Amino acid sequence: VIPGWFSEISPMWPGEAHSLKVEKILFQQKSKYQDVMVFQSSTYGKVLILDGVIQVTERDECAYREMITHLPLCSIPNPKKVLVIGGGDGGVLCEVSRHSSVEQIDICEIDAMVVDVSKQHFPDLAVGFQDPRVTLHIGDGVAYLNAVPEGTYDAIIVDSSDPIGPAQELFEKPFFQSVAKALRPGGVVCTQAESIWLHMHIIENIVANCRQIFKGSINYAWTTVPTYPSGVIGFMLCSTEGPAVDFKHPVNPLDENEDHSKAKGPLKFYNPEIHSAAFCLPSFAKRRLNGK
Ligand code: AAT
């Protein structure tokens, strides 16, 4: 450990640790669920850390939040009811609210401290909570989903932390089963699905479970986020049986239906070309995920 630097050390990426130079620690407290820390870095803006793992940096969070939101929402026509699990910083909510077709946005975040800390230190993300379509539920995403009536949502976005800690169950088969039940026919889910460089075994397990559960399309996509382990992070996209969804060819381009009333500023990362490109996998990953 280098003095004055934050190093992201975890058994999920043994033998390596990305480091950021710390200018100042702005918040540090233990919540009911995890250690919460915010610091000012010298090159990535403010950084949110949960249990020693980087969740958000001001500089590169756009790549993650835009992709995890618009990959699913631009793949179906007229999404109306959207559920976000995790995502207590509010960044994903900002992106969902760009979609003018959306009428209802529910979010279930387990840790109220994440929401409070975001309101205090990441106002540009927490502004997502101000959209009148948003309802915040504080609680476990697993329990929340089990109580949702069948067929409720057009899209579910699982913006969850890694499977060590409170998010563990969000990577397990029963969770994907309740996601499928909560979606309408032809509804879509997009979940945070780790790195092709570090976590092929986790990804293979998610893909195997989803193949059994989702009778529509199943695709893995990825994007680059410099401060996430290995610099890339992926998403599992699935649709339920019903109207066919072709994730690789977006049918709902944002620029045509975008809600400009909130003056959010233009998208920084997502565009229709990068949407389709996100599903192109390196050969090693393609072989493993296609079972060849
Ligand atoms: N947009 C920021 C990126 C995240 S945040 C993940 C959020 O999921 C955290 O706020 C965490 O408190 C919440 N969370 C964890 N478990 C649950 C649960 N069971 N139910 C609801 N919310 C939960 C993800 C960063 C990925 C990091 C990659 N290394």
Side-chain angles (χ1 to χ4, degrees):
V1 179
I2 317 161
W5 289 64
F6 166 82
S7 289
E8 190 187 43
I9 295 169
S10 163
M12 281 194 66
W13 36 93
E16 62 185 281
H18 188 237
S19 300
L20 291 170
K21 192 165 187 219
V22 178
E23 295 289 314
K24 193 178 179 199
I25 292 176
L26 302 170
F27 182 91
Q28 200 164 19
Q29 224 169 289
K30 204 173 167 49
S31 78
K32 203 167 142 194
Y33 299 97
Q34 51 207 346
D35 289 315
V36 182
M37 174 165 78
V38 178
F39 67 84
Q40 179 71 48
S41 67
S42 59
T43 51
Y44 277 83
K46 285 185 201 167
V47 183
L48 172 67
I49 309 284
L50 298 178
D51 280 346
V53 176
I54 297 172
Q55 309 290 309
V56 165
T57 85
E58 285 181 312
R59 177 164 157 198
D60 66 6
E61 60 86 31
C62 63
Y64 176 80
R65 67 140 120 159
E66 291 183 15
M67 293 297 272
I68 199 172
T69 306
H70 304 308
L71 288 176
L73 294 189
C74 293
S75 293
I76 52 171
N78 290 311
K80 290 193 170 71
K81 291 189 180 180
V82 180
L83 170 64
V84 178
I85 292 181
D89 51 280
V92 167
L93 300 175
C94 296
E95 295 309 315
V96 176
S97 67
R98 287 185 194 270
H99 289 262
S100 54
S101 65
V102 169
E103 295 165 357
Q104 177 183 331
I105 311 171
D106 294 323
I107 173 166
C108 180
E109 159 65 51
I110 201 166
D111 197 340
M113 192 182 283
V114 174
V115 178
D116 294 342
V117 159
S118 184
K119 286 182 178 165
Q120 199 183 339
H121 295 284
F122 300 89
D124 293 347
L125 281 72
V127 69
F129 288 101
Q130 285 173 21
D131 188 302
R133 295 168 289 181
V134 170
T135 307
L136 168 63
H137 308 264
I138 296 293
D140 186 354
V142 174
Y144 180 87
L145 256 191
N146 286 334
V148 165
E150 252 178 70
T152 299
Y153 293 104
D154 298 290
I156 297 177
I157 297 167
V158 187
D159 176 10
S160 97
S161 30
D162 298 318
I164 297 181
Q168 191 187 328
E169 284 182 67
L170 304 181
F171 289 79
E172 291 169 1
K173 193 171 177 180
F175 175 73
F176 287 102
Q177 278 163 332
S178 20
V179 168
K181 269 178 74 180
L183 286 171
R184 59 129 166 112
V188 293
V189 60
C190 180
T191 73
Q192 191 273 87
E194 302 298 349
S195 161
I196 48 174
W197 286 113
L198 299 168
H199 306 119
M200 267 329 279
H201 53 291
I202 299 178
I203 300 168
E204 280 177 307
N205 187 42
I206 296 174
V207 169
N209 286 334
C210 288
R211 280 217 176 101
Q212 288 175 18
I213 293 164
F214 292 92
K215 301 298 176 205
S217 321
I218 287 161
N219 288 102
Y220 188 83
W222 58 292
T223 189
T224 145
V225 179
T227 59
Y228 281 167
S230 80
V232 309
I233 194 152
F235 308 105
M236 189 73 229
L237 287 122
C238 307
S239 69
T240 54
E241 191 167 21
V245 175
D246 178 0
F247 285 114
K248 297 179 185 178
H249 299 100
V251 293
N252 182 26
L254 239 189
D255 38 348
E256 283 167 27
N257 87 39
E258 186 171 349
D259 178 356
H260 291 287
S261 57
K262 311 269 176 341
K264 289 177 201 307
L267 289 163
K268 289 193 201 129
F269 193 90
Y270 177 89
N271 57 51
E273 295 78 43
I274 217 161
H275 179 128
S276 296
F279 294 92
C280 299
L281 301 179
S283 303
F284 75 87
K286 215 166 137 180
R287 274 194 295 272
R288 293 273 294 268
L289 298 187
N290 296 334
K292 281 171 207 147

